[in-house]
Amino acid sequence: MIRILLSLCTMVVLATAQPASANSESLVELLEPLVNGAGDFEQITYDSKGQPVQRSSGHFAVMKPGKFYWQTLQPYEQVLVSDAQTIWLYDPDLEQVTVKTFAGEQNQLPIRILSGDFDLIGKEFQLSEAKTEQGLVYHLAPNSASSNVASIDLTFVGQNLASMTVVDRTETKTQFVFSNRKALSQDDKNKFAFEIPEGADVFHDQPL
């Protein structure tokens, strides 16, 4: 799951809706109350033919600006952590930690937005919005063709972010459905400082 997140759906066909241009300020107004929070997620990944290939679930916590903790519990555990300067990917089964620098990580655009790096929205994307049966959908198309992310859809039901859809350049689609959102506890805040487990193999990776 985390590797998919690193390369980052609603499978709703939006052709029935009429998209309209949108400004970043309206999206930020909806996202602002949602940062500095925690909750649960469910994820389904679909291949380019629309067939589900993986399901997973877990917990997350985000804190503005740029801090996040993303723990997949099922079907196997992985942890992705950022303190806004460094990103750690920990695989307990393999006892491996991959370390990346936060700056310049184009493939982290979805989760950087969720963790309050809102300047990216106006700088990195063309925005449109559409009202659908599922809710208000903001469609974000990256300006850079070098990003592995082809599009991001954020679906709001009322003031609540119900799901995030990420499509990559291979047309793989990943849907994250959020639930049980709550304010950050002190325990959640402590998770943004990652300590490499003793005995784990450590790999340093350059920004993609």
Side-chain angles (χ1 to χ4, degrees):
M1 171 297 202
I2 295 295
R3 290 185 173 86
I4 294 171
L5 186 64
L6 282 169
S7 67
L8 299 164
C9 296
T10 52
M11 298 302 293
V12 177
V13 177
L14 299 180
T16 57
Q18 296 300 317
S21 61
N23 59 63
S24 59
E25 288 80 5
S26 61
L27 177 55
V28 169
E29 287 179 2
L30 286 171
L31 289 172
E32 187 72 51
L34 303 178
V35 298
N36 300 329
D40 300 326
F41 71 87
E42 292 184 306
Q43 175 189 341
I44 305 175
T45 300
Y46 301 84
D47 63 21
S48 60
K49 297 180 180 179
Q51 298 299 311
V53 293
Q54 187 177 38
R55 296 174 181 266
S56 59
S57 61
H59 306 304
F60 72 91
V62 293
M63 183 175 178
K64 184 178 181 180
K67 297 181 180 181
F68 54 81
Y69 176 88
W70 201 276
Q71 181 185 27
T72 300
L73 299 175
Q74 299 292 337
Y76 52 88
E77 184 178 5
Q78 286 184 313
V79 179
L80 185 70
V81 182
S82 169
D83 64 359
Q85 294 182 333
T86 302
I87 297 172
W88 296 271
L89 168 62
Y90 175 46
D91 190 322
D93 290 339
L94 298 178
E95 296 186 346
Q96 292 181 351
V97 178
T98 301
V99 183
K100 295 174 175 284
T101 56
F102 185 87
E105 265 291 358
Q106 289 292 314
N107 297 327
Q108 290 293 345
L109 292 177
I111 202 165
R112 286 174 65 183
I113 291 172
L114 292 184
S115 57
D117 195 353
F118 297 144
D119 288 343
L120 289 174
I121 296 174
K123 293 179 180 178
E124 302 287 347
F125 297 95
Q126 296 294 320
L127 271 68
S128 61
E129 62 178 88
K131 292 183 178 180
T132 72
E133 293 181 355
Q134 285 66 39
L136 178 62
V137 179
Y138 281 85
H139 180 76
L140 287 68
N143 294 322
S144 174
S146 64
S147 172
N148 282 350
V149 176
S151 68
I152 303 171
D153 284 352
L154 299 171
T155 301
F156 292 85
V157 177
Q159 301 297 309
N160 182 55
L161 178 61
S163 66
M164 175 177 69
T165 300
V166 180
V167 181
D168 68 20
R169 297 295 179 182
T170 68
E171 298 185 356
T172 298
K173 299 180 181 181
T174 306
Q175 177 187 36
F176 300 91
V177 179
F178 304 111
S179 60
N180 301 322
R181 294 190 69 104
K182 62 179 182 178
L184 283 176
S185 66
Q186 186 56 51
D187 182 60
D188 291 324
K189 294 178 182 179
N190 293 337
K191 294 177 180 178
F192 303 127
F194 183 78
E195 295 185 6
I196 295 175
E198 184 177 353
D201 295 324
V202 180
F203 301 91
H204 292 270
D205 199 3
Q206 295 297 318
L208 299 179

